[in-house]
Amino acid sequence: FFDGTTIPSFNVFATSIGSGTIVGSTTLAIQGSNVNFTITPSSGFELSSLTASTSLGVISLGTTSATTATLTNVQGNTDVVATFSAIVIPPVTHLITTSSNAGGTIDPSFIVTNGGTATINFATTTPNFYIGAVLLDGVLQASTSPVTISNVTAPHSVSVEFFDGTTIPSFNVFATSIG
């Protein structure tokens, strides 16, 4: 009952859900006044929603980047709720690029989580072909399958060259005499 001399006041409650805090400048607000809030997510958390519930309904007060908010023109008892959620950090990943020529197969290129292990399988699929060269980041490796890369912390490339065993490779040999 308003008698014309006393200005009504209303309760303003601040509640947090999740890991963080919300603190109002007052818990008892005079009708028509404003209440300021300080919002502090815990480490590794962020504000995901900020709402105020009154007899008139629920309204949004802010965004996920807010550290302060103001409830303006208080007209009734109000519950302000700050909801916090864990910040999702995507894992660091690295691309393993694979390639080969005709005469065999190699696993397709794929992604590996940082610190993980990459295993690349390859095999000859054509009669009379053999594994001629296996290169990991351009460096010659043993010609056995699989190639395993442990503790992956950067992108890598694996290339396999298959040679036709029915063709005799030719090489140029140069000799130099000194002295």
Side-chain angles (χ1 to χ4, degrees), residues 73-94:
N73 192 21
V74 174
Q75 294 297 316
N77 292 332
T78 307
D79 293 315
V80 177
V81 178
T83 303
F84 300 93
S85 58
I87 297 171
V88 178
I89 300 172
V92 174
T93 59
H94 304 287

Side-chain angles (χ1 to χ4, degrees), residues 96-100 106-110 120-121 156-160:
I96 306 298
T97 305
T98 61
S99 63
S100 71
I106 188 169
D107 289 341
S109 297
F110 59 97
I120 302 94
N121 295 291
H156 292 282
S157 65
V158 176
S159 175
V160 178

